Amino acid sequence: RKEVEQDPGPFNVPEGATVAFNCTYSNSASQSFFWYRQDCRKEPKLLMSVYSSGNEDGRFTAQLNRASQYISLLIRDSKLSDSATYLCVVLRVGSQGNLIFGKGTKLSVKP
Amino acid sequence: NAGVTQTPKFQVLKTGQSMTLQCAQDMNHNSMYWYRQDPGMGLRLIYYSASEGTTDKGEVPNGYNVSRLNKREFSLRLESAAPSQTSVYFCASSELARLYEQYFGPGTRLTVT
């Protein structure tokens, strides 16, 4: 099983749609999880952390299911500017900042 | 603040040539990282430096060396470039209290022929 796995997409959705991305991780001891966003030919940027209780930031909701080793990102009311690749990221257990990146899920929001 | 800067932006090398990728950050971060990103692959950590004076191997260190020149600068050297090192290279930095929040530079697109 790969350390971090994501559906590569692409997800093509109309403006205003709700879209959800999923991610699984292999190490049950993992403690810290994040979503990064990467625009085409640009550098990745932190979108949000994922907390055990679930967390929301505006139109974005992140959830963690430790039993299933599963992380999700929900985007409501999609905007054209949400078009990007979304990277699921796990902090390697016992490391100092050693992040494991998924391959990313590509989202394209159409007018 | 410029954040994280990288030079050069683009480079073409012939097999066997050497080069150094430069990275600098002006955020007073302690930790710095070098990643490579290949099509169809996630970003992979090459080397990192938790603090000035220390460097450690990441997931794919073979064929690379690094130098943490001072707190601001962290360079990546390819001693004898190979076509398999064709990639986009990103440098990143983070503060000790938030190691997971890494700020990335714009990347260097390297082609080895």
PDB file of all heavy atoms in Angstrom, chain B residues 1 4 9 14-15 17-18 23 28-29 36 41-42 54 60 64 69-70 73 76 78 80 87 99 101 105 107 110-111:
ATOM      1  N   ASN B   1       8.918  41.331   1.888  1.00  0.00           N
ATOM      2  CA  ASN B   1       9.641  40.044   2.014  1.00  0.00           C
ATOM      3  C   ASN B   1       9.522  39.242   0.736  1.00  0.00           C
ATOM      4  O   ASN B   1       8.436  39.104   0.185  1.00  0.00           O
ATOM      5  CB  ASN B   1       9.051  39.224   3.160  1.00  0.00           C
ATOM      6  CG  ASN B   1       9.484  39.723   4.503  1.00  0.00           C
ATOM      7  OD1 ASN B   1      10.303  40.625   4.589  1.00  0.00           O
ATOM      8  ND2 ASN B   1       8.946  39.144   5.555  1.00  0.00           N
ATOM      9  N   VAL B   4      10.737  32.703  -0.196  1.00  0.00           N
ATOM     10  CA  VAL B   4      11.760  31.728  -0.594  1.00  0.00           C
ATOM     11  C   VAL B   4      12.098  31.988  -2.062  1.00  0.00           C
ATOM     12  O   VAL B   4      11.193  32.005  -2.903  1.00  0.00           O
ATOM     13  CB  VAL B   4      11.271  30.277  -0.418  1.00  0.00           C
ATOM     14  CG1 VAL B   4      12.355  29.296  -0.847  1.00  0.00           C
ATOM     15  CG2 VAL B   4      10.859  30.034   1.034  1.00  0.00           C
ATOM     16  N   LYS B   9      15.806  29.608 -12.564  1.00  0.00           N
ATOM     17  CA  LYS B   9      14.424  29.156 -12.793  1.00  0.00           C
ATOM     18  C   LYS B   9      14.403  27.972 -13.764  1.00  0.00           C
ATOM     19  O   LYS B   9      13.563  27.091 -13.662  1.00  0.00           O
ATOM     20  CB  LYS B   9      13.586  30.294 -13.346  1.00  0.00           C
ATOM     21  CG  LYS B   9      13.195  31.333 -12.332  1.00  0.00           C
ATOM     22  CD  LYS B   9      12.188  32.314 -12.889  1.00  0.00           C
ATOM     23  CE  LYS B   9      11.540  33.160 -11.816  1.00  0.00           C
ATOM     24  NZ  LYS B   9      12.484  33.854 -10.945  1.00  0.00           N
ATOM     25  N   LYS B  14      23.937  18.754 -19.738  1.00  0.00           N
ATOM     26  CA  LYS B  14      24.264  17.506 -20.428  1.00  0.00           C
ATOM     27  C   LYS B  14      24.619  16.465 -19.355  1.00  0.00           C
ATOM     28  O   LYS B  14      25.118  16.803 -18.265  1.00  0.00           O
ATOM     29  CB  LYS B  14      25.439  17.706 -21.362  1.00  0.00           C
ATOM     30  CG  LYS B  14      25.126  18.573 -22.572  1.00  0.00           C
ATOM     31  CD  LYS B  14      26.299  18.581 -23.507  1.00  0.00           C
ATOM     32  CE  LYS B  14      26.170  19.379 -24.769  1.00  0.00           C
ATOM     33  NZ  LYS B  14      24.920  19.901 -25.155  1.00  0.00           N
ATOM     34  N   THR B  15      24.409  15.215 -19.678  1.00  0.00           N
ATOM     35  CA  THR B  15      24.771  14.128 -18.763  1.00  0.00           C
ATOM     36  C   THR B  15      26.224  14.265 -18.332  1.00  0.00           C
ATOM     37  O   THR B  15      27.108  14.475 -19.166  1.00  0.00           O
ATOM     38  CB  THR B  15      24.561  12.767 -19.453  1.00  0.00           C
ATOM     39  OG1 THR B  15      23.166  12.627 -19.779  1.00  0.00           O
ATOM     40  CG2 THR B  15      24.964  11.631 -18.547  1.00  0.00           C
ATOM     41  N   GLN B  17      27.460  16.672 -16.420  1.00  0.00           N
ATOM     42  CA  GLN B  17      27.780  18.022 -15.951  1.00  0.00           C
ATOM     43  C   GLN B  17      27.326  18.171 -14.496  1.00  0.00           C
ATOM     44  O   GLN B  17      26.473  17.431 -14.014  1.00  0.00           O
ATOM     45  CB  GLN B  17      27.086  19.077 -16.821  1.00  0.00           C
ATOM     46  CG  GLN B  17      27.710  19.228 -18.190  1.00  0.00           C
ATOM     47  CD  GLN B  17      27.077  20.355 -18.994  1.00  0.00           C
ATOM     48  OE1 GLN B  17      25.858  20.545 -19.008  1.00  0.00           O
ATOM     49  NE2 GLN B  17      27.921  21.119 -19.676  1.00  0.00           N
ATOM     50  N   SER B  18      27.906  19.172 -13.843  1.00  0.00           N
ATOM     51  CA  SER B  18      27.515  19.437 -12.464  1.00  0.00           C
ATOM     52  C   SER B  18      26.896  20.824 -12.368  1.00  0.00           C
ATOM     53  O   SER B  18      27.111  21.676 -13.248  1.00  0.00           O
ATOM     54  CB  SER B  18      28.741  19.359 -11.547  1.00  0.00           C
ATOM     55  OG  SER B  18      29.683  20.350 -11.912  1.00  0.00           O
ATOM     56  N   CYS B  23      19.092  28.354  -3.006  1.00  0.00           N
ATOM     57  CA  CYS B  23      17.831  28.665  -2.332  1.00  0.00           C
ATOM     58  C   CYS B  23      18.127  29.595  -1.170  1.00  0.00           C
ATOM     59  O   CYS B  23      19.098  29.377  -0.425  1.00  0.00           O
ATOM     60  CB  CYS B  23      17.184  27.390  -1.813  1.00  0.00           C
ATOM     61  SG  CYS B  23      15.727  27.648  -0.785  1.00  0.00           S
ATOM     62  N   ASN B  28      13.486  34.095   8.389  1.00  0.00           N
ATOM     63  CA  ASN B  28      14.160  33.700   9.620  1.00  0.00           C
ATOM     64  C   ASN B  28      13.753  32.284  10.066  1.00  0.00           C
ATOM     65  O   ASN B  28      13.724  31.989  11.259  1.00  0.00           O
ATOM     66  CB  ASN B  28      13.896  34.707  10.745  1.00  0.00           C
ATOM     67  CG  ASN B  28      14.962  34.642  11.827  1.00  0.00           C
ATOM     68  OD1 ASN B  28      16.132  34.401  11.552  1.00  0.00           O
ATOM     69  ND2 ASN B  28      14.550  34.864  13.066  1.00  0.00           N
ATOM     70  N   HIS B  29      13.453  31.426   9.094  1.00  0.00           N
ATOM     71  CA  HIS B  29      13.080  30.056   9.431  1.00  0.00           C
ATOM     72  C   HIS B  29      14.310  29.226   9.754  1.00  0.00           C
ATOM     73  O   HIS B  29      15.375  29.406   9.154  1.00  0.00           O
ATOM     74  CB  HIS B  29      12.337  29.408   8.258  1.00  0.00           C
ATOM     75  CG  HIS B  29      10.949  29.910   8.100  1.00  0.00           C
ATOM     76  ND1 HIS B  29      10.203  29.668   6.957  1.00  0.00           N
ATOM     77  CD2 HIS B  29      10.152  30.631   8.924  1.00  0.00           C
ATOM     78  CE1 HIS B  29       9.007  30.207   7.099  1.00  0.00           C
ATOM     79  NE2 HIS B  29       8.959  30.817   8.287  1.00  0.00           N
ATOM     80  N   ARG B  36      11.927  17.157  -5.024  1.00  0.00           N
ATOM     81  CA  ARG B  36      11.772  17.069  -6.470  1.00  0.00           C
ATOM     82  C   ARG B  36      10.360  16.614  -6.788  1.00  0.00           C
ATOM     83  O   ARG B  36       9.727  15.891  -6.004  1.00  0.00           O
ATOM     84  CB  ARG B  36      12.807  16.130  -7.096  1.00  0.00           C
ATOM     85  CG  ARG B  36      12.769  14.702  -6.645  1.00  0.00           C
ATOM     86  CD  ARG B  36      13.810  13.851  -7.393  1.00  0.00           C
ATOM     87  NE  ARG B  36      13.436  13.631  -8.790  1.00  0.00           N
ATOM     88  CZ  ARG B  36      14.218  13.024  -9.694  1.00  0.00           C
ATOM     89  NH1 ARG B  36      15.408  12.578  -9.331  1.00  0.00           N
ATOM     90  NH2 ARG B  36      13.813  12.859 -10.929  1.00  0.00           N
ATOM     91  N   MET B  41       4.130  11.734 -10.003  1.00  0.00           N
ATOM     92  CA  MET B  41       4.673  11.405  -8.680  1.00  0.00           C
ATOM     93  C   MET B  41       4.361  12.556  -7.734  1.00  0.00           C
ATOM     94  O   MET B  41       4.261  13.698  -8.139  1.00  0.00           O
ATOM     95  CB  MET B  41       6.196  11.244  -8.748  1.00  0.00           C
ATOM     96  CG  MET B  41       6.687  10.259  -9.778  1.00  0.00           C
ATOM     97  SD  MET B  41       6.505   8.579  -9.228  1.00  0.00           S
ATOM     98  CE  MET B  41       7.753   8.487  -7.967  1.00  0.00           C
ATOM     99  N   GLY B  42       4.250  12.248  -6.459  1.00  0.00           N
ATOM    100  CA  GLY B  42       4.133  13.316  -5.474  1.00  0.00           C
ATOM    101  C   GLY B  42       5.486  13.975  -5.280  1.00  0.00           C
ATOM    102  O   GLY B  42       6.500  13.484  -5.758  1.00  0.00           O
ATOM    103  N   THR B  54      23.066  21.529  10.383  1.00  0.00           N
ATOM    104  CA  THR B  54      22.671  20.117  10.298  1.00  0.00           C
ATOM    105  C   THR B  54      21.994  19.847   8.964  1.00  0.00           C
ATOM    106  O   THR B  54      21.257  20.702   8.444  1.00  0.00           O
ATOM    107  CB  THR B  54      21.690  19.710  11.410  1.00  0.00           C
ATOM    108  OG1 THR B  54      20.435  20.360  11.180  1.00  0.00           O
ATOM    109  CG2 THR B  54      22.200  20.099  12.774  1.00  0.00           C
ATOM    110  N   VAL B  60      14.928  10.469  -1.280  1.00  0.00           N
ATOM    111  CA  VAL B  60      15.651  10.200  -2.535  1.00  0.00           C
ATOM    112  C   VAL B  60      16.953  10.997  -2.598  1.00  0.00           C
ATOM    113  O   VAL B  60      17.134  11.846  -3.474  1.00  0.00           O
ATOM    114  CB  VAL B  60      14.759  10.493  -3.772  1.00  0.00           C
ATOM    115  CG1 VAL B  60      13.692   9.439  -3.932  1.00  0.00           C
ATOM    116  CG2 VAL B  60      14.142  11.894  -3.690  1.00  0.00           C
ATOM    117  N   TYR B  64      22.807  13.493  -5.045  1.00  0.00           N
ATOM    118  CA  TYR B  64      22.723  14.894  -4.610  1.00  0.00           C
ATOM    119  C   TYR B  64      23.562  15.123  -3.361  1.00  0.00           C
ATOM    120  O   TYR B  64      23.773  14.218  -2.566  1.00  0.00           O
ATOM    121  CB  TYR B  64      21.275  15.270  -4.270  1.00  0.00           C
ATOM    122  CG  TYR B  64      20.275  15.028  -5.357  1.00  0.00           C
ATOM    123  CD1 TYR B  64      19.520  13.845  -5.384  1.00  0.00           C
ATOM    124  CD2 TYR B  64      20.056  15.973  -6.362  1.00  0.00           C
ATOM    125  CE1 TYR B  64      18.601  13.617  -6.388  1.00  0.00           C
ATOM    126  CE2 TYR B  64      19.119  15.748  -7.359  1.00  0.00           C
ATOM    127  CZ  TYR B  64      18.397  14.559  -7.359  1.00  0.00           C
ATOM    128  OH  TYR B  64      17.477  14.337  -8.356  1.00  0.00           O
ATOM    129  N   LEU B  69      24.486  26.785   4.080  1.00  0.00           N
ATOM    130  CA  LEU B  69      25.556  27.781   4.102  1.00  0.00           C
ATOM    131  C   LEU B  69      25.449  28.692   5.324  1.00  0.00           C
ATOM    132  O   LEU B  69      26.456  29.107   5.902  1.00  0.00           O
ATOM    133  CB  LEU B  69      25.507  28.601   2.815  1.00  0.00           C
ATOM    134  CG  LEU B  69      25.594  27.750   1.536  1.00  0.00           C
ATOM    135  CD1 LEU B  69      25.239  28.569   0.309  1.00  0.00           C
ATOM    136  CD2 LEU B  69      26.996  27.157   1.393  1.00  0.00           C
ATOM    137  N   ASN B  70      24.245  29.034   5.693  1.00  0.00           N
ATOM    138  CA  ASN B  70      23.946  29.862   6.863  1.00  0.00           C
ATOM    139  C   ASN B  70      22.447  29.694   7.114  1.00  0.00           C
ATOM    140  O   ASN B  70      21.797  28.856   6.471  1.00  0.00           O
ATOM    141  CB  ASN B  70      24.328  31.337   6.623  1.00  0.00           C
ATOM    142  CG  ASN B  70      23.827  31.835   5.287  1.00  0.00           C
ATOM    143  OD1 ASN B  70      22.626  31.737   5.011  1.00  0.00           O
ATOM    144  ND2 ASN B  70      24.716  32.337   4.437  1.00  0.00           N
ATOM    145  N   GLU B  73      20.435  30.308   3.685  1.00  0.00           N
ATOM    146  CA  GLU B  73      20.707  29.676   2.403  1.00  0.00           C
ATOM    147  C   GLU B  73      20.929  28.165   2.505  1.00  0.00           C
ATOM    148  O   GLU B  73      21.639  27.688   3.410  1.00  0.00           O
ATOM    149  CB  GLU B  73      21.943  30.330   1.772  1.00  0.00           C
ATOM    150  CG  GLU B  73      21.752  31.802   1.478  1.00  0.00           C
ATOM    151  CD  GLU B  73      23.048  32.448   1.050  1.00  0.00           C
ATOM    152  OE1 GLU B  73      23.939  32.649   1.907  1.00  0.00           O
ATOM    153  OE2 GLU B  73      23.176  32.736  -0.154  1.00  0.00           O
ATOM    154  N   LEU B  76      21.638  22.919  -3.228  1.00  0.00           N
ATOM    155  CA  LEU B  76      21.570  21.517  -3.667  1.00  0.00           C
ATOM    156  C   LEU B  76      22.519  21.342  -4.836  1.00  0.00           C
ATOM    157  O   LEU B  76      22.436  22.088  -5.815  1.00  0.00           O
ATOM    158  CB  LEU B  76      20.137  21.174  -4.103  1.00  0.00           C
ATOM    159  CG  LEU B  76      19.898  19.757  -4.618  1.00  0.00           C
ATOM    160  CD1 LEU B  76      19.932  18.749  -3.461  1.00  0.00           C
ATOM    161  CD2 LEU B  76      18.552  19.668  -5.341  1.00  0.00           C
ATOM    162  N   LEU B  78      24.246  18.849  -7.804  1.00  0.00           N
ATOM    163  CA  LEU B  78      24.284  17.634  -8.607  1.00  0.00           C
ATOM    164  C   LEU B  78      25.711  17.505  -9.123  1.00  0.00           C
ATOM    165  O   LEU B  78      26.182  18.352  -9.892  1.00  0.00           O
ATOM    166  CB  LEU B  78      23.322  17.718  -9.793  1.00  0.00           C
ATOM    167  CG  LEU B  78      21.832  17.607  -9.519  1.00  0.00           C
ATOM    168  CD1 LEU B  78      21.287  18.821  -8.791  1.00  0.00           C
ATOM    169  CD2 LEU B  78      21.080  17.387 -10.824  1.00  0.00           C
ATOM    170  N   SER B  80      27.182  14.937 -10.891  1.00  0.00           N
ATOM    171  CA  SER B  80      27.284  14.361 -12.230  1.00  0.00           C
ATOM    172  C   SER B  80      25.862  14.058 -12.697  1.00  0.00           C
ATOM    173  O   SER B  80      25.316  12.995 -12.392  1.00  0.00           O
ATOM    174  CB  SER B  80      28.134  13.081 -12.194  1.00  0.00           C
ATOM    175  OG  SER B  80      28.199  12.499 -13.476  1.00  0.00           O
ATOM    176  N   SER B  87      13.726  17.047 -13.646  1.00  0.00           N
ATOM    177  CA  SER B  87      12.630  17.214 -12.681  1.00  0.00           C
ATOM    178  C   SER B  87      12.420  18.700 -12.404  1.00  0.00           C
ATOM    179  O   SER B  87      13.151  19.550 -12.897  1.00  0.00           O
ATOM    180  CB  SER B  87      12.993  16.492 -11.370  1.00  0.00           C
ATOM    181  OG  SER B  87      11.895  16.443 -10.484  1.00  0.00           O
ATOM    182  N   LEU B  99       6.467  23.066  11.725  1.00  0.00           N
ATOM    183  CA  LEU B  99       7.290  22.411  10.697  1.00  0.00           C
ATOM    184  C   LEU B  99       6.475  21.965   9.494  1.00  0.00           C
ATOM    185  O   LEU B  99       7.002  21.847   8.395  1.00  0.00           O
ATOM    186  CB  LEU B  99       8.009  21.198  11.311  1.00  0.00           C
ATOM    187  CG  LEU B  99       9.143  21.521  12.273  1.00  0.00           C
ATOM    188  CD1 LEU B  99       9.627  20.249  12.957  1.00  0.00           C
ATOM    189  CD2 LEU B  99      10.298  22.198  11.558  1.00  0.00           C
ATOM    190  N   GLU B 101       4.025  23.573   8.116  1.00  0.00           N
ATOM    191  CA  GLU B 101       3.638  24.687   7.252  1.00  0.00           C
ATOM    192  C   GLU B 101       4.884  25.132   6.500  1.00  0.00           C
ATOM    193  O   GLU B 101       5.635  26.002   6.962  1.00  0.00           O
ATOM    194  CB  GLU B 101       3.043  25.833   8.043  1.00  0.00           C
ATOM    195  CG  GLU B 101       2.538  26.943   7.116  1.00  0.00           C
ATOM    196  CD  GLU B 101       1.730  27.999   7.839  1.00  0.00           C
ATOM    197  OE1 GLU B 101       1.630  27.939   9.085  1.00  0.00           O
ATOM    198  OE2 GLU B 101       1.216  28.896   7.151  1.00  0.00           O
ATOM    199  N   GLY B 105       9.579  27.776  -2.577  1.00  0.00           N
ATOM    200  CA  GLY B 105      10.047  28.676  -3.618  1.00  0.00           C
ATOM    201  C   GLY B 105       9.352  28.348  -4.935  1.00  0.00           C
ATOM    202  O   GLY B 105       8.608  27.368  -5.020  1.00  0.00           O
ATOM    203  N   GLY B 107      10.480  27.162  -7.672  1.00  0.00           N
ATOM    204  CA  GLY B 107      10.962  25.962  -8.362  1.00  0.00           C
ATOM    205  C   GLY B 107      12.019  26.233  -9.417  1.00  0.00           C
ATOM    206  O   GLY B 107      12.119  27.344  -9.956  1.00  0.00           O
ATOM    207  N   LEU B 110      14.670  21.615 -14.286  1.00  0.00           N
ATOM    208  CA  LEU B 110      15.953  21.110 -14.763  1.00  0.00           C
ATOM    209  C   LEU B 110      15.732  19.996 -15.772  1.00  0.00           C
ATOM    210  O   LEU B 110      14.968  19.061 -15.528  1.00  0.00           O
ATOM    211  CB  LEU B 110      16.773  20.568 -13.590  1.00  0.00           C
ATOM    212  CG  LEU B 110      18.095  19.888 -13.956  1.00  0.00           C
ATOM    213  CD1 LEU B 110      19.083  20.915 -14.513  1.00  0.00           C
ATOM    214  CD2 LEU B 110      18.704  19.187 -12.750  1.00  0.00           C
ATOM    215  N   THR B 111      16.408  20.111 -16.912  1.00  0.00           N
ATOM    216  CA  THR B 111      16.390  19.059 -17.923  1.00  0.00           C
ATOM    217  C   THR B 111      17.818  18.581 -18.125  1.00  0.00           C
ATOM    218  O   THR B 111      18.729  19.390 -18.321  1.00  0.00           O
ATOM    219  CB  THR B 111      15.841  19.572 -19.258  1.00  0.00           C
ATOM    220  OG1 THR B 111      14.509  20.068 -19.051  1.00  0.00           O
ATOM    221  CG2 THR B 111      15.804  18.463 -20.294  1.00  0.00           C
TER     222      THR B 111
END
